[in-house]
Amino acid sequence: MKSLVASQKQRGISFIGLLFVAIVLACFGVVVAQVIPTLIEYQAITKAANKAKEGTTVPEVRAIFDRAQAIDDFTSVTGKDLEVRKDGDKVVVSFAYDREIHLFGPAYLLLKYRGRSS
């Protein structure tokens, strides 16, 4: 019986391994927690661009976008940052902006958002 018990090895993760995995997951969680608000803001900007395409002139499109911006409370894009053009008989509203998230020391995460009305 002793030889059977002695030949079995323990399996699992050591305390140091568990600590390392926890630190990596915590760092990843902090980055994700900082990225999620930028994704929500991007969705609000896309929604505002889709609403703004109902305008017929460039100033009207920008005014509609600025009203939607005031309601949804985002600051990354304003009406003057929009690119408004016509594709056939449709108005297309495009936007582009960058967001930087400070990670640590000199390290930043750069998110480049681009979008247009559907």
Side-chain angles (χ1 to χ4, degrees):
M1 284 279 194
K2 283 188 173 186
S3 65
L4 182 64
V5 173
S7 67
Q8 293 179 348
K9 293 185 177 182
Q10 290 184 352
R11 293 184 172 183
I13 189 167
S14 68
F15 179 71
I16 300 298
L18 180 67
L19 194 61
F20 178 75
V21 168
I23 289 171
V24 168
L25 287 176
C27 291
F28 182 73
V30 167
V31 171
V32 167
Q34 291 179 346
V35 168
I36 287 174
T38 66
L39 291 173
I40 294 170
E41 181 183 47
Y42 174 75
Q43 289 176 340
I45 293 170
T46 303
K47 184 176 110 181
N50 285 329
K51 192 179 293 186
K53 74 177 183 178
E54 297 169 359
T56 56
T57 64
V58 173
E60 184 181 0
V61 167
R62 290 185 174 159
I64 293 170
F65 185 86
D66 285 337
R67 282 194 298 271
Q69 176 192 15
I71 293 170
D72 289 335
D73 194 30
F74 56 83
T75 57
S76 294
V77 178
T78 62
K80 65 182 178 182
D81 298 327
L82 299 177
E83 179 184 322
V84 182
R85 66 178 195 276
K86 282 195 144 202
D87 282 346
D89 59 342
K90 291 183 180 179
V91 175
V92 178
V93 180
S94 302
F95 60 90
Y97 66 100
D98 298 338
R99 290 293 303 258
E100 286 185 352
I101 296 174
H102 182 255
L103 298 176
F104 57 89
Y108 286 85
L109 175 64
L110 177 64
L111 302 170
K112 294 185 174 225
Y113 289 107
R114 310 270 182 262
R116 57 182 262 175
S117 62
S118 55

